[in-house]
Amino acid sequence: DIQLTQSPSSLSASVGDRVTITCRASQSISSYLNWYQQKPGKAPKVLIYTASNLQSGVPSRFSGSGSGTDFTLTISTLQPEDFATYYCQQSYSTPRTFGQGTKVEIK
Amino acid sequence: QVHLVQSGAEVKKPGASVKVSCKASGYTFMKYGISWVRQAPGQGLEWMGWISAYNINTNSAQKLQGRLTLTTDTSTSTSYMELRSLRSDDTAVYYCARDDRDDYGDYWGQGTLVIVSS
């Protein structure tokens, strides 16, 4: 199984900050990497698919980059509604594994 | 608009089975697949499997094979996830998601809590 390791596991940030979350795969997954946001008690919401494609309706302050084994999710200007847990997921091979999550908290 | 509505919470004893439904609306059901993902209390997301609604191809996590069955009923635009021989570590919220080609879920159900306890 492909392992995805996110860093950091948690971070504290202020509204207006630039936030970067990384996801490293245990082997190359080309660009088959998706990013989700999950708020407590809610279903995940896809933000970025295939590494860098912004899902329709998602604010442009979210962006994704990377290929191979190293990927990044960036929130350019953190907004109050962005405090949540973020997960990466690979769709290169079965099982479609997720990272362990990164919790973004208010500083 | 696309909606996925899941069945209600379940409490099951160890060794029993559970079947969760996911009723889709707002799109042509047969043109997409459905993924299933679960989340144990306080834990991360775990992919379980995917089923195509148009050719009934499935793909599932090897650790669940033998216990997991994914099906669809195109007449009611509903997908089902059945998990057998339940154990306490199957306690989780189970989600379905519309997933075109087994790559990512773009619309999600509200989740179904399944508790396995004696």
Side-chain angles (χ1 to χ4, degrees), chain A residues 63-79:
Chain A
S63 64
S65 64
S67 67
T69 61
D70 294 310
F71 300 86
T72 299
L73 172 70
T74 299
I75 309 172
S76 60
T77 307
L78 197 66
Q79 297 299 303

Side-chain angles (χ1 to χ4, degrees), chain B residues 48-63:
Chain B
M48 300 178 69
W50 173 86
I51 182 167
S52 164
Y54 46 91
N55 62 14
I56 318 300
N57 279 351
T58 60
N59 188 21
S60 59
Q62 187 169 16
K63 68 175 282 189

Side-chain angles (χ1 to χ4, degrees), chain B residues 10-16 86-89 91 114-118:
Chain B
E10 304 260 15
V11 179
K12 296 290 184 180
K13 295 195 181 301
L86 290 168
R87 310 187 290 245
S88 58
D89 62 356
T91 293
V114 175
I115 296 172
V116 183
S117 173
S118 55

